């Protein structure tokens, strides 16, 4: 006889196995989480990848459009080369789709900008995603539900 299998509660159970470029954090930084804070901040660090940002932000904006969850999600892009041609295009794209743009040129790389993005995020939960990942339709509501119903570690 086999033991009953417990339902998975991890991020892959919510979003699917294809989201290996996504990780989720539950923040307990009292200084930035308020009652009006969004449930989820989706942060993306980029270095001269306007096309990747456009692909991801367009998919996220399409997912939020027409749903009653837009006020629960913050989109934040940390631009690691804001003065370049593509960096300026990323800033314009953020303004166009309603994402918050955060220029970060202090250190180049992936860790420092991602750390800056996590610190700048306003949500209780933070999802870090690469700028070429496309969210499939229906994933954001499931991800929000996961964030709302999962106790912090």
């Amino acid at each position: 006889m086999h033991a009953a299998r417990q339902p998975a509660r991890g991020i892959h159970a919510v979003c699917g196995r294809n989201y290996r470029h996504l990780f989720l954090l539950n923040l307990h930084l009292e200084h930035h989480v308020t009652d009006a804070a969004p449930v989820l901040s989706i942060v993306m660090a980029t270095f001269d990848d306007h096309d990747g940002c456009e692909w991801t932000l367009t998919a996220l904006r399409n997912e939020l459009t027409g749903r009653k969850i837009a006020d629960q999600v913050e989109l934040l892009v940390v631009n690691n080369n804001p003065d370049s041609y593509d960096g300026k295009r990323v800033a314009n794209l953020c303004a166009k789709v309603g994402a918050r743009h955060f220029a970060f040129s202090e250190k180049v790389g992936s860790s420092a900008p991602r750390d800056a993005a996590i610190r700048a995020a306003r949500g209780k939960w933070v999802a870090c995603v690469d700028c070429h990942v496309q969210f499939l339709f229906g994933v954001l509501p499931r991800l929000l539900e996961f964030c709302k119903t999962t106790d912090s570690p």
Side-chain angles (χ1 to χ4, degrees):
M1 179 178 270
H2 296 284
R5 189 173 177 169
Q6 296 295 318
R9 287 286 298 159
I11 192 68
H12 294 295
V14 176
C15 297
R17 297 251 177 240
N18 292 332
Y19 290 91
R20 66 183 182 276
H21 295 287
L22 173 96
F23 66 90
L24 190 65
L25 304 168
N26 186 339
L27 296 182
H28 289 285
L29 303 176
E30 298 288 331
H31 66 275
H32 86 284
V33 176
T34 66
D35 290 338
V39 174
L40 176 65
S41 292
I42 300 175
V43 300
M44 180 173 43
T46 185
F47 184 94
D48 284 348
D49 189 3
H50 170 269
D51 294 342
C53 288
E54 184 174 39
W55 197 46
T56 301
L57 288 174
T58 300
L60 289 168
R61 182 52 54 206
N62 288 342
E63 178 78 353
L64 292 171
T65 301
R67 295 182 185 252
K68 296 181 180 180
I69 59 173
D71 61 332
Q72 300 174 51
V73 178
E74 171 193 33
L75 302 177
L76 172 62
V77 177
V78 175
N79 191 345
N80 200 204
N81 195 12
D83 297 325
S84 71
Y85 174 74
D86 267 355
K88 292 173 184 172
R89 290 176 65 207
V90 167
N92 291 335
L93 173 66
C94 289
K96 178 181 165 186
V97 301
R100 192 159 60 106
H101 179 261
F102 181 62
F104 182 82
S105 55
E106 296 166 25
K107 291 184 179 180
V108 174
S110 59
S111 296
R114 186 169 284 137
D115 184 55
I118 291 169
R119 292 180 187 281
R122 296 179 179 143
K124 178 181 177 187
W125 287 83
V126 177
C128 294
V129 63
D130 289 348
C131 61
H132 57 270
V133 173
Q134 186 173 17
F135 281 65
L136 297 176
F137 193 76
V139 166
L140 271 183
R142 291 195 312 260
L143 187 56
L144 278 169
E145 188 62 28
F146 175 83
C147 293
K148 291 176 187 176
T149 60
T150 301
D151 291 330
S152 58

